[in-house]
Amino acid sequence: MGRYVIRRLLQMIPVFIGATLLIFLMVNVMGDPIAGLCGDKQCDPATAAQLRQEYNLDKPVWQQYLTYMGKVFTGDFGTAFNGQPVTELMASSFPVTIRLTVVAILFEIVIGISLGVVTGLRRGRPVDTGVLLLTLVVISVPTFVTGLLLQLLLGVEWGWIRPSVSPDATFGELIVPGLVLASVSLAYVTRLTRTSIAENRRSDYVRTAVAKGLPRRRVITRHLLRNSLIPVITFIGTDIGALMGGAIVTERIFNIHGVGFQLYQGIVRQNTQTVVGFVTILVLVFLVANLLVDLLYAVLDPRIRYA
């Protein structure tokens, strides 16, 4: 196990460098950040030259990348164009998005897996057909439509929630935004769990456990569910980073000042330091989540061993 972890950590290094380099190049070719900083009025040549020198924009792109990565390893993610360090923006936005992501993941695990188990054990029955149709509708409706409808009904018409989240963004305020963020992934988790349960239910080890006279609950939890959850855990693990980086629409609808909000502001204002800094952290989240998912395989399926 130790060798496997070390090998995976070493494999993460070129992936991290390649992903950050790709993002850095894409951000630097999307426009002139100095022009975006000056707004509608064009910067005078002296001011533009001073800003380019201050933010190392007068150097070749490869040299800018090496300089940036050197600072990243010392904990310096640069300074936004408003003069605020990017680390301060991260300190204020990442906790909010992490809480939102935790709420969304809990919805996926509790509701998605539960519905998947119920429909997988009752495949072909009315409850199975009803849940499949419901998940198909959820997948078909865009997230911004779901978010706006819930905001209008629950927040404006019925007054059950606040239409926009307060700056504190407590867990209670993030329940509805978390449900909106998790809606599509929740539907996929339900369908994936259903399919996996239905397939493994016909396996030899399940028939053997039933033939031995084991209680139905033990057959489901100790044998059927553990093996069926492997593809589901894979999806949820990779979905953690996707939820954190893809919360732009949800955070805009409910006025949540999290990672999605900062990324949106950085892209609109062509603030390369902010965009690259936040995406760098999201790349690390993806890599760590995938590593933890691989390690969970051995817990769910004892047949899996890492050399």
Side-chain angles (χ1 to χ4, degrees):
M1 179 70 76
R3 293 182 179 179
Y4 174 78
V5 174
I6 294 175
R7 187 167 64 248
R8 283 298 307 271
L9 291 175
L10 293 176
Q11 291 174 355
M12 289 166 59
I13 296 176
V15 175
F16 174 75
I17 294 176
T20 53
L21 177 60
L22 180 61
I23 295 299
F24 193 88
L25 294 175
M26 292 175 62
V27 170
N28 276 274
V29 300
M30 71 178 184
D32 186 5
I34 300 300
L37 179 62
C38 295
D40 296 333
K41 297 182 179 180
Q42 187 176 4
C43 293
D44 60 273
T47 303
Q50 181 180 355
L51 290 174
R52 292 182 186 280
Q53 183 178 5
E54 180 180 353
Y55 291 101
N56 295 321
L57 297 176
D58 57 337
K59 300 178 181 178
V61 175
W62 65 269
Q63 192 171 353
Q64 294 180 36
Y65 176 75
L66 293 179
T67 302
Y68 173 78
M69 292 304 297
K71 293 181 178 180
V72 165
F73 288 116
T74 62
D76 181 11
F77 287 86
T79 304
F81 289 159
N82 60 358
Q84 187 176 9
V86 177
T87 51
E88 292 185 4
L89 297 176
M90 293 179 179
S92 62
S93 59
F94 264 100
V96 176
T97 300
I98 289 175
R99 290 197 293 270
L100 180 62
T101 304
V102 168
V103 174
I105 292 296
L106 288 177
F107 275 121
E108 290 185 24
I109 294 175
V110 176
I111 300 179
I113 293 180
S114 298
L115 290 178
V117 172
V118 171
T119 54
L121 295 176
R122 293 170 172 80
R123 189 172 184 178
R125 298 183 181 180
V127 64
D128 178 36
T129 304
V131 171
L132 285 180
L133 291 176
L134 179 61
T135 55
L136 183 60
V137 171
V138 172
I139 294 173
S140 303
V141 177
T143 303
F144 68 88
V145 175
T146 305
L148 290 173
L149 284 176
L150 290 181
Q151 185 185 50
L152 176 63
L153 294 177
L154 301 181
V156 178
E157 296 292 337
W158 300 338
W160 293 358
I161 63 171
R162 298 180 57 177
S164 48
V165 175
S166 66
D168 295 333
T170 60
F171 278 104
E173 294 178 298
L174 295 176
I175 291 178
V176 174
L179 178 61
V180 173
L181 180 62
S183 58
V184 176
S185 298
L186 189 154
Y188 281 119
V189 168
T190 300
R191 299 173 73 92
L192 185 60
T193 305
R194 170 191 175 273
T195 302
S196 186
I197 288 288
E199 290 179 354
N200 289 317
R201 191 181 179 187
R202 299 190 296 266
S203 300
D204 293 337
Y205 67 87
V206 175
R207 286 196 291 265
T208 301
V210 174
K212 290 169 62 177
L214 295 179
R216 176 181 172 85
R217 177 176 298 181
R218 185 175 181 182
V219 172
I220 295 175
T221 57
R222 295 291 301 274
H223 298 276
L224 178 60
L225 189 58
R226 288 182 62 177
N227 290 280
S228 301
L229 283 182
I230 291 180
V232 180
I233 293 298
T234 302
F235 177 84
I236 294 177
T238 56
D239 198 41
I240 292 176
L243 291 177
M244 293 186 66
I248 296 179
V249 175
T250 304
E251 292 185 0
R252 290 287 295 172
I253 292 174
F254 293 95
N255 193 32
I256 302 173
H257 289 195
V259 173
F261 175 82
Q262 295 296 341
L263 282 174
Y264 173 80
Q265 294 294 328
I267 293 173
V268 170
R269 299 175 181 176
Q270 299 183 5
N271 194 333
T272 58
Q273 298 286 335
T274 302
V275 175
V276 177
F278 275 84
V279 174
T280 299
I281 299 299
L282 291 177
V283 170
L284 288 176
V285 171
F286 268 106
L287 295 176
V288 173
N290 287 332
L291 176 61
L292 294 178
V293 166
D294 288 346
L295 296 180
L296 281 176
Y297 287 164
V299 177
L300 293 174
D301 191 348
R303 297 173 298 178
I304 298 177
R305 290 292 181 267
Y306 297 112

